[in-house]
Amino acid sequence: MAIKAEYIWIDGTQPTAKLRSKTRILANADKLPTWGFDGSSTNQAEGHASDRVLEPVASFPDPIRGGDNILVLCEVFETDGTPHVSNTRAKLRPIAEQFAAQEGIFGIEQEYTFFKGSRPLGFPEGGFPAPQGGYYCGIGADEVFGREIVELHLDRCLAAGLAICGINAEVMPGQWEFQIGPVDALTVSDHMWVARYLLYRTAEEFGIDATLDAKPVRGDWNGAGAHTNFSTKAMREGYDAIITACESLGATQEIVLEHVTQYGDDIEARLTGKHETAPWNVYSYGVSDRGASVRIPWQVEVEQKGYIEDRRPNANVDPYVVTRLMVNTCCSALEKAGQV
């Protein structure tokens, strides 16, 4: 029997890339063929030379169509076989391989916000809801909005075999979070993009828009982030390596800006020093400090081993980019310090 293969890729839209997909009918999933698309319609080519190439890199059971149908995550290449400039996965691959011996793993906390028309889900027409506070991990129809979408999304991520490890309601009405990990850099990034695809497709069925906007409501409301948890073998075994990693991320202002300017669009609006954030251009780290750039969880200090949480990445960050930057910066410093 023929199967439906949904080819998924990341386009070239700036400043925040979009997901695209199209369906191919295959005899089976034994060999996933290379495919092509019109790059002039995805901000990845000019009209006079519009062909771009889709190279399958991972496949998953399709929990929406069911049966033997699959989701196929792809990298984008030029017709000469070189990675397209928008192909950030290709830039992560050699860095992940270079530092593979350090056994780096990630957990990414993806916040997002549901919108119904022009307003966040749960915001009354012509006004604002009660101030944030009761919505975080809330219970009840007066504080929680969109749970049916969230539960269906969770089920579909599990059915697709993604490394999803939790969900919770966030601090603003209509705002939620899911977590992917702990897995290696390429896996967490691949699974995050597929989980985003499933989120958009699931919300679509309810007539709801799921957005990764970093500051979906201006004013006294939390933004939406993608807190990125990271550890290496040395960090999971000793506290000195934890401090080395934290220090490396703020070693120079050049490193600070290299990271934060690639941590998602509109980061200055979210990282203000308020609403559980540090100022976007000032680096800090601390134990149990959600107002720091990087948090060392309290149990990590107690146990003298574990992981760190970079709280700066926006909800709209490219996971291939944030994992590449963190592996390159932290693992280089750990290697130099002999903490591998």
Side-chain angles (χ1 to χ4, degrees), residues 201-215:
R201 286 283 282 103
T202 301
E204 177 186 313
E205 295 173 14
F206 291 81
I208 297 295
D209 176 38
T211 175
L212 304 185
D213 192 323
K215 192 71 173 179

Side-chain angles (χ1 to χ4, degrees), residues 112-116 121 144-157 164 167 174 176 178 195-210:
Y112 59 93
T113 310
F114 287 135
F115 269 70
K116 181 71 172 178
L121 195 63
V144 174
F145 308 91
R147 192 186 295 277
E148 65 277 17
I149 308 173
V150 173
E151 292 290 342
L152 181 55
H153 174 250
L154 174 60
D155 288 343
R156 286 175 168 178
C157 286
I164 191 166
I167 58 171
W176 291 82
F178 65 86
R196 287 174 174 179
Y197 167 83
L198 290 173
L199 175 66
Y200 299 144
R201 286 283 282 103
T202 301
E204 177 186 313
E205 295 173 14
F206 291 81
I208 297 295
D209 176 38

Side-chain angles (χ1 to χ4, degrees), residues 44-300:
Q44 289 168 302
E46 298 293 334
H48 67 277
S50 62
D51 288 335
R52 291 296 178 265
V53 178
L54 294 175
E55 189 65 49
V57 295
S59 66
F60 308 85
D62 186 341
I64 297 176
R65 287 173 168 151
D68 293 328
N69 301 304
I70 56 174
L71 305 176
V72 182
L73 183 65
C74 301
E75 286 190 27
V76 177
F77 286 82
E78 302 282 1
T79 54
D80 64 3
T82 58
H84 189 268
V85 65
S86 65
N87 183 350
T88 53
R89 190 181 191 276
K91 296 174 184 176
L92 169 60
R93 282 190 277 113
I95 298 298
E97 183 177 351
Q98 179 183 349
F99 295 106
Q102 293 196 38
E103 301 178 19
I105 57 175
F106 286 88
I108 300 180
E109 307 168 27
Q110 177 69 73
E111 295 178 344
Y112 59 93
T113 310
F114 287 135
F115 269 70
K116 181 71 172 178
S118 62
R119 301 184 68 78
L121 195 63
F123 272 53
E125 290 293 334
F128 290 88
Q132 61 189 36
Y135 309 108
Y136 173 71
C137 296
I139 307 294
D142 58 333
E143 294 185 333
V144 174
F145 308 91
R147 192 186 295 277
E148 65 277 17
I149 308 173
V150 173
E151 292 290 342
L152 181 55
H153 174 250
L154 174 60
D155 288 343
R156 286 175 168 178
C157 286
L158 290 169
L162 302 184
I164 191 166
C165 58
I167 58 171
N168 61 268
E170 269 300 334
V171 298
M172 190 178 79
Q175 192 176 73
W176 291 82
E177 173 183 302
F178 65 86
Q179 303 95 33
I180 299 288
V183 286
D184 65 86
L186 277 168
T187 302
V188 78
S189 302
D190 289 348
H191 287 208
M192 181 58 74
W193 276 114
V194 176
R196 287 174 174 179
Y197 167 83
L198 290 173
L199 175 66
Y200 299 144
R201 286 283 282 103
T202 301
E204 177 186 313
E205 295 173 14
F206 291 81
I208 297 295
D209 176 38
T211 175
L212 304 185
D213 192 323
K215 192 71 173 179
V217 178
R218 305 289 163 157
D220 193 22
W221 299 94
N222 278 32
H227 300 159
T228 302
N229 302 281
F230 174 66
S231 71
T232 65
K233 184 174 184 290
M235 294 166 69
R236 294 189 293 273
E237 294 177 348
Y239 199 70
D240 288 346
I242 295 284
I243 298 302
T244 298
C246 289
E247 291 284 348
S248 72
L249 292 168
T252 67
Q253 188 65 5
E254 181 181 4
I255 290 174
V256 172
L257 294 179
E258 178 190 18
H259 281 248
V260 79
T261 57
Q262 298 182 71
Y263 275 7
D265 180 50
D266 205 22
I267 203 156
E268 298 94 333
R270 174 175 155 265
L271 299 185
T272 61
K274 300 178 180 179
H275 305 111
E276 300 181 310
T277 70
W280 71 274
N281 59 348
V282 177
Y283 178 80
S284 61
Y285 71 90
V287 176
S288 196
D289 186 355
R290 283 179 164 77
S293 307
V294 171
R295 180 178 68 95
I296 301 173
W298 67 270
Q299 73 270 28
V300 171

